[in-house]
Amino acid sequence: MLPQQTECRLNFDTEFPLAHGDALAQAKLKSLPQDFIVEETLAFPLSGKGEHLYLNIRKTHANTEWVSKQLARSLGVAQRDIGYAGLKDRHGVTSQWFSLPARTITSDALEKMQIDGVEICEVQTHDRKLRKGAIKHNRFTICLRDVDVELTSLQERITLIAQHGVPNYFDEQRFGHGRGNLTAALQMFARKFKPSRFQRGMYLSSARAWLFNQILARRVSEQNWNSALEGDVFWLEGTKRFFNADHIDETIQTRLAQGDIHPTGALWGEGELQSHGLVAALEQQVVSQWPDLAQGLVAARLTQDRRPLRVMPQAMRHEYDPVQHILTLSFALPAGSYATAVLRECMQLHSA
């Protein structure tokens, strides 16, 4: 399904609106690697037996793809045989699982392995290769520096976020430096260059994320991003399932308030929208402002999908040191959601 043709805006300077009011203060993010700690929890228990070796690796200032290449080189494994559940940013200290074929790796090789910024924390075995998306949640512990904030206001904002969640925006890293991935996506769709397989995936992902963020931004602006509209498709918390509601009744409203379900927005592609009525009209109208991106995704044969508009941080805690001006936040998010979506609802962030 293609949106109506309108002039495509090439200005990607849009700032996505906040849901809970202006930022309370400014803050420096990622001054040191240990200021941004991520711990991955898999969606399934490891059996302790099988043909696949699982390594829980703590990496510092290294991204997932680079670690995968180094593991392949150090242990003599084909990189295609290495599995991981999700990509982790290089800026920080992150713990995540990698799987490798156990038959080719000895304990002696593991003990001798030396990769800068990489530490093996745990070794397990399992009967299946680790696949992307097999994450229950990521636990974040984030230190924000140079924060001058009034404590009562901070506590009120944290409570508001914990109770009502935050808009589930894709992070800026999805769009590349200066949002250059979006310009590259337009050039790719116009066949101005032939991308590598990796580039193609990255640019398609950027274009899709941009359209989703635009839909979410409209609903945040209209203050209905976490409420039910006629035609909404709802995501069931803790699953990968969504459903259409025949009508918005008291049960739907109660489940929304409890965080059991969330409204969703379109991840653009070919096929019919799962939404209908008011929501489908809204999504079509928003996406019609970016026809080149939308049509490029359809031409690439991506299938229409949905993503929750709201994410609810779990086990959210905070500690503020008014002398050192340091705010430490910790919370868990499901796979695919970004810590910055939570942070920006409290602070105006600046990279150190």
Side-chain angles (χ1 to χ4, degrees):
M1 178 170 52
L2 297 178
Q4 274 189 325
Q5 286 287 332
T6 63
E7 182 181 357
C8 182
R9 298 180 300 173
L10 298 180
N11 182 2
F12 295 118
D13 293 334
T14 303
E15 294 298 325
F16 305 120
L18 298 169
H20 299 304
D22 294 337
L24 300 175
Q26 297 191 26
K28 281 187 178 179
L29 176 64
K30 300 179 180 177
S31 298
L32 302 170
Q34 57 267 34
D35 285 350
F36 197 88
I37 298 174
V38 189
E39 299 169 277
E40 177 185 86
T41 298
L42 295 180
F44 57 90
L46 297 176
S47 64
K49 58 183 180 179
E51 300 176 351
H52 297 274
L53 195 68
Y54 274 58
L55 306 181
N56 185 259
I57 285 178
R58 181 185 297 119
K59 57 188 184 62
T60 300
H61 211 63
N63 65 39
T64 301
E65 186 71 13
W66 182 85
V67 171
S68 176
K69 290 179 180 178
Q70 300 309 308
L71 288 174
R73 182 179 303 169
S74 298
L75 299 173
V77 177
Q79 192 177 357
R80 64 176 178 275
D81 292 331
I82 297 178
Y84 49 82
L87 296 173
K88 298 292 189 291
D89 193 1
R90 69 186 296 267
H91 300 291
V93 179
T94 62
S95 298
Q96 70 174 122
W97 290 93
F98 292 81
S99 73
L100 306 92
R103 66 183 182 277
T104 63
I105 301 171
T106 66
S107 57
D108 187 54
L110 286 179
E111 291 177 3
K112 292 180 178 179
M113 187 184 75
Q114 291 186 341
I115 303 173
D116 288 343
V118 170
E119 174 188 358
I120 298 177
C121 301
E122 186 177 353
V123 180
Q124 290 270 16
T125 53
H126 193 60
D127 52 3
R128 295 190 306 275
K129 180 182 178 180
L130 182 56
R131 301 295 181 184
K132 292 181 180 179
I135 299 174
K136 181 178 181 180
H137 61 247
N138 290 306
R139 179 76 191 172
F140 297 88
T141 303
I142 300 170
C143 178
L144 299 174
R145 299 180 184 272
D146 295 350
V147 177
D148 188 2
V149 66
E150 199 273 319
L151 185 56
T152 301
S153 298
L154 174 63
Q155 291 171 333
E156 290 174 349
R157 184 64 59 89
I158 295 295
T159 299
L160 193 64
I161 290 171
Q163 290 178 346
H164 299 285
V166 298
N168 194 24
Y169 288 119
F170 284 97
D171 182 74
E172 286 293 331
Q173 69 187 46
R174 183 63 66 101
F175 308 122
H177 179 69
R179 295 179 172 171
N181 288 352
L182 297 167
T183 301
L186 287 173
Q187 294 173 341
M188 179 180 71
F189 293 150
R191 300 183 182 278
K192 293 184 177 180
F193 74 102
K194 186 175 181 180
S196 67
R197 183 177 179 181
F198 174 78
Q199 287 175 323
R200 181 179 184 274
M202 180 170 60
Y203 299 149
L204 289 175
S205 176
S206 296
R208 210 177 200 194
W210 181 259
L211 295 182
F212 174 86
N213 275 14
Q214 295 298 321
I215 292 169
L216 176 52
R218 170 69 69 82
R219 292 192 61 164
V220 172
S221 297
E222 296 178 357
Q223 300 182 358
N224 55 38
W225 62 279
N226 61 351
S227 58
L229 296 180
E230 186 270 323
D232 255 327
V233 183
F234 297 98
W235 190 279
L236 184 61
E237 172 73 15
T239 73
K240 296 183 179 181
R241 295 182 293 163
F242 54 84
F243 66 93
N244 292 83
D246 294 332
H247 59 280
I248 308 301
D249 57 17
E250 185 176 345
T251 299
I252 290 292
Q253 300 289 8
T254 299
R255 294 180 72 184
L256 270 173
Q258 293 174 343
D260 180 48
I261 60 174
H262 312 287
T264 63
L267 290 172
W268 208 259
E270 66 177 352
E272 294 296 319
L273 279 167
Q274 288 96 330
S275 58
H276 59 274
L278 180 63
V279 173
L282 180 150
E283 293 179 341
Q284 283 274 13
Q285 196 280 327
V286 170
V287 172
S288 71
Q289 299 173 60
W290 307 90
D292 290 348
L293 291 180
Q295 292 171 15
L297 292 169
V298 171
R301 306 301 300 273
L302 272 69
T303 304
Q304 283 278 351
D305 205 349
R306 309 293 295 183
R307 173 180 168 91
L309 296 177
R310 174 176 70 170
V311 62
M312 307 283 287
Q314 300 299 312
M316 192 166 184
R317 299 182 179 87
H318 70 282
E319 182 178 336
Y320 179 55
D321 183 339
V323 177
Q324 299 293 325
H325 299 293
I326 294 175
L327 172 63
T328 303
L329 293 169
S330 63
F331 49 86
L333 294 176
S337 294
Y338 294 87
T340 49
V342 178
L343 301 179
R344 69 191 298 270
E345 290 290 337
C346 297
M347 301 288 149
Q348 183 178 351
L349 303 173
H350 300 281
S351 297

